[in-house]
Amino acid sequence: MSELVQKVRDVLPSVRADLEDLVRIESVWADPARRGEVQRSAEAVSKLFSEAGFGDVRIVSEGGAPAVIARHPAPPGAPTVLLYAHHDVQPEGDRGQWESAPFEPTERDGRLYGRGTADDKAGIATHLAAIRAFAGRPPVGVTVFVEGEEESGSPSLGALLAAHKELLAADVIVIADSDNWSTEQPSLTVSLRGLADCVVEVATLDHGLHSGMWGGVVPDALSALVRLLASLHDDEGNVAVAGLHEATAADVEFPAERVRADTGVLDGVTEIGSGSTAQRLWAKPAITVIGIDTTPIASASNTLIPRARAKVSMRVAPGGDAAAHLAALTSHLEAHAPWGAQVTVTPGDLGEPYAIDATGPVYDAARAAFREAWAAEPVDTGVGGSIPFIAEFAAAFPDAKILVTGVEDPNTQAHSINESLHLGVLERAATAETLLLEALGRS
Ligand code: BES
Ligand code: MN
Ligand code: MN
């Protein structure tokens, strides 16, 4: 084993302990009551990188969540690598459904459970392990950038980039916030979908009506909304909105059994849409209804509901334009209202998709580092999820090579209950990143 790989092993217990402390901080930026926790989390991250040996560490914000920028200047002639992760996490959901408390990291069967153990505090841990393996002096310039509002769509990232462009400039950008093919085989993520969402409100009446007096003569808004939402897919489950973009997925065989195993789809429930799994997951648009506001059952009475709202979220295939997709969705919703119901669409968040041409020496070096660290061949994959900031970074630094790596695996359950990190994956990901920095220092 190389000396450097041994170093990563040596620092891993301390890194894991620091990761556990980060997980104990409830850094849910989406919850206004926990913004103090996000601040505490930024302070903890900045302390970790200061103590790891970086002289220039700051907490910055531009009207949004606090982000951490930590810098180690490039040795003469060496490139600068930006290491990205996010320290905010998704809300924990129903605490009662967690097997162990969401913010108390707990190990079971080689996995560390807790909100953010994987998405994406493990990304921070990976960068910390690499820096510690080099005793704070990596052979390349390193800028660690840990943002605090990724799970909210990174609304102030553009302003942060503009305000700190010189600090953040890099030759290579490593984004440790994605998935792996399995716990034994790494992925190099080569495409991500974008995102566009909106709230659609349907109104049919200017006030509620006794359903016995008027039911069957004038429509209730919830029935109208349900029909409108049903028009978003055809019978097979393909998206039925006109004018959306479709790309071509990375050429990877995605076993059918994996869909059932990885999702927990219930017996008898079929898959939706046509085309290969990889195509539907990574290269086709998808539409999901993610919330609805209407009369709850507990207060339901025999009344025609006058208005109802739903939040509709769309994934945009690589190469598509998020704003154009939102416009297409809006037109569809406005055109398909049943029974002349009034439809109002309020636009929500937009995030651009991104596809990477993963060829050339930097990608070759990354694959070699993966191969050595994992003792397995890396797989080029797409992902169905989104990291909107990648497109913004690529626009700001058009010459930088972007590597999307990660510490998740098919059983991570990011965003859901019982999120977990596979501890073997953390070690392999940290080893790969360390070897990559070393290789970039040599080149
Ligand atoms: N780490 C994910 C992105 C991701 C998802 C990578 C699936 C690989 C596989 C990230 O934290 C995330 O959840 N992104 C959001 C972005 C949104 C809030 C704009 C997403 O995809 O919903
Ligand atoms: Mn993430
Ligand atoms: Mn996430």
Side-chain angles (χ1 to χ4, degrees):
M1 193 190 307
S2 85
E3 212 177 298
L4 196 52
V5 172
Q6 185 58 49
K7 286 260 172 57
V8 178
R9 281 208 183 170
D10 294 345
V11 302
L12 223 58
S14 71
V15 168
R16 177 188 162 169
D18 291 326
L19 170 61
E20 293 189 7
D21 285 342
L22 289 179
V23 171
R24 291 189 179 95
I25 305 175
E26 302 189 13
S27 50
V28 182
W29 179 251
D31 175 5
R34 286 189 274 191
R35 298 217 156 156
E37 287 285 278
V38 181
Q39 179 63 30
R40 219 155 63 77
S41 160
E43 284 161 13
V45 170
S46 87
K47 185 158 175 269
L48 288 172
F49 287 98
S50 297
E51 288 173 358
F54 279 23
D56 178 3
V57 182
R58 34 188 127 177
I59 297 177
V60 297
S61 64
E62 288 295 324
V68 176
I69 301 176
R71 302 209 321 146
H72 162 74
T80 293
V81 183
L82 181 107
L83 303 176
Y84 168 91
H86 61 90
H87 68 93
D88 62 312
V89 298
Q90 283 279 323
E92 68 279 18
D94 180 359
R95 282 184 191 237
Q97 287 193 47
W98 284 74
E99 266 180 58
S100 50
F103 297 102
E104 186 45 55
T106 307
E107 183 177 346
R108 291 190 294 277
D109 298 329
R111 305 190 67 99
L112 189 64
Y113 286 82
R115 171 57 83 231
T117 49
D119 185 11
D120 183 30
K121 289 176 175 175
I124 306 171
T126 303
H127 303 327
L128 189 62
I131 305 306
R132 285 194 182 150
F134 291 112
R137 287 179 302 280
V140 289
V142 170
T143 305
V144 175
F145 177 57
V146 184
E147 73 155 312
E149 53 179 29
E150 194 278 342
E151 300 290 6
S152 305
S154 309
S156 68
L157 190 89
L160 278 173
L161 266 181
H164 304 287
K165 192 157 180 195
E166 256 128 77
L167 284 181
L168 295 170
D171 304 294
V172 178
I173 301 176
V174 178
I175 294 153
D177 189 26
S178 190
D179 209 354
N180 287 290
W181 187 244
S182 75
T183 58
E184 310 307 316
Q185 197 169 11
S187 287
L188 187 60
T189 299
V190 295
S191 77
L192 301 104
R193 290 193 290 192
L195 195 76
D197 62 36
C198 66
V199 170
V200 55
E201 177 167 290
V202 168
T204 54
L205 300 164
D206 70 3
H207 57 272
L209 292 170
H210 189 297
S211 64
M213 288 184 69
W214 290 108
V217 174
V218 290
D220 71 88
L222 185 53
S223 295
L225 175 62
V226 166
R227 288 180 82 95
L228 176 56
L229 296 175
S231 76
L232 293 168
H233 295 91
D234 66 16
D235 287 347
E236 214 185 330
N238 287 298
V239 169
V241 174
L244 305 185
H245 176 72
E246 180 168 345
T248 304
D251 184 19
V252 175
E253 194 56 50
F254 199 108
E257 322 77 72
R258 253 189 79 169
V259 175
R260 301 203 86 82
D262 291 1
T263 60
V265 65
L266 298 177
D267 286 345
V269 179
T270 64
E271 290 188 29
I272 55 171
S274 56
S276 73
T277 304
Q279 187 65 19
R280 281 174 292 152
L281 264 183
W282 304 335
K284 286 181 79 165
I287 293 184
T288 316
V289 180
I290 59 171
I292 194 156
D293 280 355
T294 187
T295 310
I297 290 170
S299 43
S301 64
N302 289 330
T303 305
L304 298 182
I305 292 171
R307 56 185 65 231
R309 305 191 301 159
K311 184 162 183 178
V312 179
S313 167
M314 174 163 55
R315 297 285 169 174
V316 179
D321 177 81
H325 277 62
L326 184 54
L329 175 61
T330 303
S331 304
H332 178 101
L333 291 168
E334 288 169 351
H336 286 76
W339 311 313
Q342 294 179 9
V343 171
T344 312
V345 179
T346 306
D349 292 331
L350 291 176
E352 298 302 335
Y354 199 71
I356 295 166
D357 171 16
T359 58
V362 169
Y363 296 97
D364 291 344
R367 289 192 184 91
F370 273 137
R371 207 172 285 127
E372 185 177 345
W374 290 66
E377 194 58 30
V379 193
D380 281 10
T381 65
V383 293
S386 312
I387 309 179
F389 102 85
I390 296 179
E392 288 189 57
F393 251 85
F397 305 113
D399 296 328
K401 298 291 172 212
I402 298 181
L403 283 163
V404 182
T405 66
V407 199
E408 297 187 17
D409 72 86
N411 291 121
T412 287
Q413 290 191 200
H415 295 203
S416 183
I417 54 167
N418 301 319
E419 174 181 351
S420 66
L421 162 72
H422 186 282
L423 290 162
V425 168
L426 175 64
E427 174 170 350
R428 291 186 273 283
T431 305
E433 189 167 298
T434 307
L435 293 172
L436 172 64
L437 294 182
E438 194 206 26
L440 293 174
R442 269 189 270 114
S443 66

